[in-house]
Amino acid sequence: MSFTAVVDDLVRAFEVVAAAVLAFGLVWSAVLSWGVWRRTREGRTAYRLLRESLGGVLLLALEVLVAADLLRTVALQPNLQDLTNLGLLVLIRTFLSFALETEIEGVPPWRRWQVSGATRIAQAQQRSRDAG
């Protein structure tokens, strides 16, 4: 078996893992959301959980696909066209990851400190001091 064939098989394995992550993640997200809806009967909460868990699944699958692209391009003898294609794919997937993460968290990464647990505790303490 040649090196190229081994790399092709590894890339295919990464792509199969990404597809499995998407399939199982969709089912798992739906089951979690359905369970929350059955317990609370709050559609908004169940929908938010579905979006957040499915967004996490999409992020994970995108990361696995980026790994497959990197393996394919770097392991085999890349030419300028292959590197350009890889750069474009990584750029697009990075943008998608950034957009998904911002959608899930509700804030861009550089402002995430504003919604962290420590920040919320400090804000609650300040409000209690102001009220008292």
mmCIF file with all atom_site columns, all heavy atoms in Angstrom, residues 70-82:
data_model
loop_
_atom_site.group_PDB
_atom_site.id
_atom_site.type_symbol
_atom_site.label_atom_id
_atom_site.label_alt_id
_atom_site.label_comp_id
_atom_site.label_asym_id
_atom_site.label_entity_id
_atom_site.label_seq_id
_atom_site.pdbx_PDB_ins_code
_atom_site.Cartn_x
_atom_site.Cartn_y
_atom_site.Cartn_z
_atom_site.occupancy
_atom_site.B_iso_or_equiv
_atom_site.pdbx_formal_charge
_atom_site.auth_seq_id
_atom_site.auth_comp_id
_atom_site.auth_asym_id
_atom_site.auth_atom_id
_atom_site.pdbx_PDB_model_num
ATOM 1   N N   . LEU A 1 70 ? -6.381  19.541 5.830  1.00 0.00 ? 70 LEU A N   1
ATOM 2   C CA  . LEU A 1 70 ? -4.964  19.750 6.136  1.00 0.00 ? 70 LEU A CA  1
ATOM 3   C C   . LEU A 1 70 ? -4.151  18.492 5.844  1.00 0.00 ? 70 LEU A C   1
ATOM 4   O O   . LEU A 1 70 ? -3.080  18.562 5.242  1.00 0.00 ? 70 LEU A O   1
ATOM 5   C CB  . LEU A 1 70 ? -4.791  20.153 7.598  1.00 0.00 ? 70 LEU A CB  1
ATOM 6   C CG  . LEU A 1 70 ? -5.142  21.575 7.959  1.00 0.00 ? 70 LEU A CG  1
ATOM 7   C CD1 . LEU A 1 70 ? -5.171  21.763 9.464  1.00 0.00 ? 70 LEU A CD1 1
ATOM 8   C CD2 . LEU A 1 70 ? -4.140  22.531 7.336  1.00 0.00 ? 70 LEU A CD2 1
ATOM 9   N N   . LEU A 1 71 ? -4.652  17.373 6.272  1.00 0.00 ? 71 LEU A N   1
ATOM 10  C CA  . LEU A 1 71 ? -3.958  16.108 6.029  1.00 0.00 ? 71 LEU A CA  1
ATOM 11  C C   . LEU A 1 71 ? -3.806  15.848 4.541  1.00 0.00 ? 71 LEU A C   1
ATOM 12  O O   . LEU A 1 71 ? -2.724  15.482 4.072  1.00 0.00 ? 71 LEU A O   1
ATOM 13  C CB  . LEU A 1 71 ? -4.713  14.964 6.706  1.00 0.00 ? 71 LEU A CB  1
ATOM 14  C CG  . LEU A 1 71 ? -4.095  13.583 6.613  1.00 0.00 ? 71 LEU A CG  1
ATOM 15  C CD1 . LEU A 1 71 ? -2.737  13.573 7.303  1.00 0.00 ? 71 LEU A CD1 1
ATOM 16  C CD2 . LEU A 1 71 ? -5.014  12.558 7.243  1.00 0.00 ? 71 LEU A CD2 1
ATOM 17  N N   . ARG A 1 72 ? -4.874  16.057 3.814  1.00 0.00 ? 72 ARG A N   1
ATOM 18  C CA  . ARG A 1 72 ? -4.847  15.824 2.372  1.00 0.00 ? 72 ARG A CA  1
ATOM 19  C C   . ARG A 1 72 ? -3.818  16.715 1.683  1.00 0.00 ? 72 ARG A C   1
ATOM 20  O O   . ARG A 1 72 ? -3.037  16.272 0.861  1.00 0.00 ? 72 ARG A O   1
ATOM 21  C CB  . ARG A 1 72 ? -6.221  16.054 1.754  1.00 0.00 ? 72 ARG A CB  1
ATOM 22  C CG  . ARG A 1 72 ? -6.233  15.887 0.239  1.00 0.00 ? 72 ARG A CG  1
ATOM 23  C CD  . ARG A 1 72 ? -7.574  16.236 -0.375 1.00 0.00 ? 72 ARG A CD  1
ATOM 24  N NE  . ARG A 1 72 ? -8.602  15.306 0.053  1.00 0.00 ? 72 ARG A NE  1
ATOM 25  C CZ  . ARG A 1 72 ? -9.712  15.664 0.710  1.00 0.00 ? 72 ARG A CZ  1
ATOM 26  N NH1 . ARG A 1 72 ? -9.934  16.926 1.003  1.00 0.00 ? 72 ARG A NH1 1
ATOM 27  N NH2 . ARG A 1 72 ? -10.597 14.771 1.053  1.00 0.00 ? 72 ARG A NH2 1
ATOM 28  N N   . THR A 1 73 ? -3.803  17.974 2.044  1.00 0.00 ? 73 THR A N   1
ATOM 29  C CA  . THR A 1 73 ? -2.939  18.931 1.352  1.00 0.00 ? 73 THR A CA  1
ATOM 30  C C   . THR A 1 73 ? -1.487  18.831 1.790  1.00 0.00 ? 73 THR A C   1
ATOM 31  O O   . THR A 1 73 ? -0.582  18.856 0.968  1.00 0.00 ? 73 THR A O   1
ATOM 32  C CB  . THR A 1 73 ? -3.454  20.361 1.586  1.00 0.00 ? 73 THR A CB  1
ATOM 33  O OG1 . THR A 1 73 ? -4.792  20.439 1.112  1.00 0.00 ? 73 THR A OG1 1
ATOM 34  C CG2 . THR A 1 73 ? -2.614  21.378 0.851  1.00 0.00 ? 73 THR A CG2 1
ATOM 35  N N   . VAL A 1 74 ? -1.240  18.711 3.086  1.00 0.00 ? 74 VAL A N   1
ATOM 36  C CA  . VAL A 1 74 ? 0.126   18.741 3.588  1.00 0.00 ? 74 VAL A CA  1
ATOM 37  C C   . VAL A 1 74 ? 0.842   17.409 3.399  1.00 0.00 ? 74 VAL A C   1
ATOM 38  O O   . VAL A 1 74 ? 2.028   17.382 3.064  1.00 0.00 ? 74 VAL A O   1
ATOM 39  C CB  . VAL A 1 74 ? 0.129   19.173 5.072  1.00 0.00 ? 74 VAL A CB  1
ATOM 40  C CG1 . VAL A 1 74 ? 1.502   19.077 5.680  1.00 0.00 ? 74 VAL A CG1 1
ATOM 41  C CG2 . VAL A 1 74 ? -0.409  20.584 5.195  1.00 0.00 ? 74 VAL A CG2 1
ATOM 42  N N   . ALA A 1 75 ? 0.133   16.309 3.583  1.00 0.00 ? 75 ALA A N   1
ATOM 43  C CA  . ALA A 1 75 ? 0.785   15.001 3.499  1.00 0.00 ? 75 ALA A CA  1
ATOM 44  C C   . ALA A 1 75 ? 1.176   14.646 2.071  1.00 0.00 ? 75 ALA A C   1
ATOM 45  O O   . ALA A 1 75 ? 2.217   14.039 1.841  1.00 0.00 ? 75 ALA A O   1
ATOM 46  C CB  . ALA A 1 75 ? -0.120  13.924 4.072  1.00 0.00 ? 75 ALA A CB  1
ATOM 47  N N   . LEU A 1 76 ? 0.355   15.006 1.147  1.00 0.00 ? 76 LEU A N   1
ATOM 48  C CA  . LEU A 1 76 ? 0.676   14.753 -0.249 1.00 0.00 ? 76 LEU A CA  1
ATOM 49  C C   . LEU A 1 76 ? 1.489   15.938 -0.752 1.00 0.00 ? 76 LEU A C   1
ATOM 50  O O   . LEU A 1 76 ? 1.449   17.007 -0.184 1.00 0.00 ? 76 LEU A O   1
ATOM 51  C CB  . LEU A 1 76 ? -0.605  14.564 -1.062 1.00 0.00 ? 76 LEU A CB  1
ATOM 52  C CG  . LEU A 1 76 ? -1.536  13.464 -0.528 1.00 0.00 ? 76 LEU A CG  1
ATOM 53  C CD1 . LEU A 1 76 ? -2.806  13.418 -1.345 1.00 0.00 ? 76 LEU A CD1 1
ATOM 54  C CD2 . LEU A 1 76 ? -0.845  12.118 -0.544 1.00 0.00 ? 76 LEU A CD2 1
ATOM 55  N N   . GLN A 1 77 ? 2.205   15.776 -1.813 1.00 0.00 ? 77 GLN A N   1
ATOM 56  C CA  . GLN A 1 77 ? 3.072   16.847 -2.290 1.00 0.00 ? 77 GLN A CA  1
ATOM 57  C C   . GLN A 1 77 ? 2.217   17.992 -2.829 1.00 0.00 ? 77 GLN A C   1
ATOM 58  O O   . GLN A 1 77 ? 1.696   17.919 -3.943 1.00 0.00 ? 77 GLN A O   1
ATOM 59  C CB  . GLN A 1 77 ? 4.012   16.317 -3.343 1.00 0.00 ? 77 GLN A CB  1
ATOM 60  C CG  . GLN A 1 77 ? 4.885   15.226 -2.793 1.00 0.00 ? 77 GLN A CG  1
ATOM 61  C CD  . GLN A 1 77 ? 6.195   15.119 -3.530 1.00 0.00 ? 77 GLN A CD  1
ATOM 62  O OE1 . GLN A 1 77 ? 6.383   15.729 -4.558 1.00 0.00 ? 77 GLN A OE1 1
ATOM 63  N NE2 . GLN A 1 77 ? 7.075   14.332 -2.973 1.00 0.00 ? 77 GLN A NE2 1
ATOM 64  N N   . PRO A 1 78 ? 2.090   19.049 -2.013 1.00 0.00 ? 78 PRO A N   1
ATOM 65  C CA  . PRO A 1 78 ? 1.204   20.135 -2.413 1.00 0.00 ? 78 PRO A CA  1
ATOM 66  C C   . PRO A 1 78 ? 1.841   21.050 -3.457 1.00 0.00 ? 78 PRO A C   1
ATOM 67  O O   . PRO A 1 78 ? 3.046   21.259 -3.462 1.00 0.00 ? 78 PRO A O   1
ATOM 68  C CB  . PRO A 1 78 ? 0.979   20.893 -1.111 1.00 0.00 ? 78 PRO A CB  1
ATOM 69  C CG  . PRO A 1 78 ? 2.212   20.634 -0.313 1.00 0.00 ? 78 PRO A CG  1
ATOM 70  C CD  . PRO A 1 78 ? 2.671   19.261 -0.701 1.00 0.00 ? 78 PRO A CD  1
ATOM 71  N N   . ASN A 1 79 ? 1.002   21.547 -4.312 1.00 0.00 ? 79 ASN A N   1
ATOM 72  C CA  . ASN A 1 79 ? 1.449   22.589 -5.237 1.00 0.00 ? 79 ASN A CA  1
ATOM 73  C C   . ASN A 1 79 ? 0.741   23.883 -4.835 1.00 0.00 ? 79 ASN A C   1
ATOM 74  O O   . ASN A 1 79 ? -0.045  23.911 -3.898 1.00 0.00 ? 79 ASN A O   1
ATOM 75  C CB  . ASN A 1 79 ? 1.163   22.195 -6.694 1.00 0.00 ? 79 ASN A CB  1
ATOM 76  C CG  . ASN A 1 79 ? -0.313  21.913 -6.939 1.00 0.00 ? 79 ASN A CG  1
ATOM 77  O OD1 . ASN A 1 79 ? -1.171  22.544 -6.341 1.00 0.00 ? 79 ASN A OD1 1
ATOM 78  N ND2 . ASN A 1 79 ? -0.594  20.960 -7.805 1.00 0.00 ? 79 ASN A ND2 1
ATOM 79  N N   . LEU A 1 80 ? 1.034   24.936 -5.531 1.00 0.00 ? 80 LEU A N   1
ATOM 80  C CA  . LEU A 1 80 ? 0.466   26.240 -5.173 1.00 0.00 ? 80 LEU A CA  1
ATOM 81  C C   . LEU A 1 80 ? -1.062  26.234 -5.251 1.00 0.00 ? 80 LEU A C   1
ATOM 82  O O   . LEU A 1 80 ? -1.739  26.817 -4.401 1.00 0.00 ? 80 LEU A O   1
ATOM 83  C CB  . LEU A 1 80 ? 1.041   27.332 -6.080 1.00 0.00 ? 80 LEU A CB  1
ATOM 84  C CG  . LEU A 1 80 ? 0.684   28.759 -5.716 1.00 0.00 ? 80 LEU A CG  1
ATOM 85  C CD1 . LEU A 1 80 ? 1.086   29.072 -4.287 1.00 0.00 ? 80 LEU A CD1 1
ATOM 86  C CD2 . LEU A 1 80 ? 1.339   29.729 -6.674 1.00 0.00 ? 80 LEU A CD2 1
ATOM 87  N N   . GLN A 1 81 ? -1.607  25.553 -6.240 1.00 0.00 ? 81 GLN A N   1
ATOM 88  C CA  . GLN A 1 81 ? -3.068  25.479 -6.378 1.00 0.00 ? 81 GLN A CA  1
ATOM 89  C C   . GLN A 1 81 ? -3.696  24.752 -5.187 1.00 0.00 ? 81 GLN A C   1
ATOM 90  O O   . GLN A 1 81 ? -4.710  25.206 -4.647 1.00 0.00 ? 81 GLN A O   1
ATOM 91  C CB  . GLN A 1 81 ? -3.440  24.758 -7.688 1.00 0.00 ? 81 GLN A CB  1
ATOM 92  C CG  . GLN A 1 81 ? -4.931  24.652 -7.932 1.00 0.00 ? 81 GLN A CG  1
ATOM 93  C CD  . GLN A 1 81 ? -5.588  25.996 -8.162 1.00 0.00 ? 81 GLN A CD  1
ATOM 94  O OE1 . GLN A 1 81 ? -4.987  26.882 -8.774 1.00 0.00 ? 81 GLN A OE1 1
ATOM 95  N NE2 . GLN A 1 81 ? -6.789  26.166 -7.674 1.00 0.00 ? 81 GLN A NE2 1
ATOM 96  N N   . ASP A 1 82 ? -3.073  23.650 -4.745 1.00 0.00 ? 82 ASP A N   1
ATOM 97  C CA  . ASP A 1 82 ? -3.588  22.915 -3.586 1.00 0.00 ? 82 ASP A CA  1
ATOM 98  C C   . ASP A 1 82 ? -3.541  23.775 -2.329 1.00 0.00 ? 82 ASP A C   1
ATOM 99  O O   . ASP A 1 82 ? -4.478  23.778 -1.526 1.00 0.00 ? 82 ASP A O   1
ATOM 100 C CB  . ASP A 1 82 ? -2.779  21.635 -3.353 1.00 0.00 ? 82 ASP A CB  1
ATOM 101 C CG  . ASP A 1 82 ? -2.982  20.603 -4.439 1.00 0.00 ? 82 ASP A CG  1
ATOM 102 O OD1 . ASP A 1 82 ? -4.022  20.667 -5.131 1.00 0.00 ? 82 ASP A OD1 1
ATOM 103 O OD2 . ASP A 1 82 ? -2.105  19.736 -4.597 1.00 0.00 ? 82 ASP A OD2 1
#
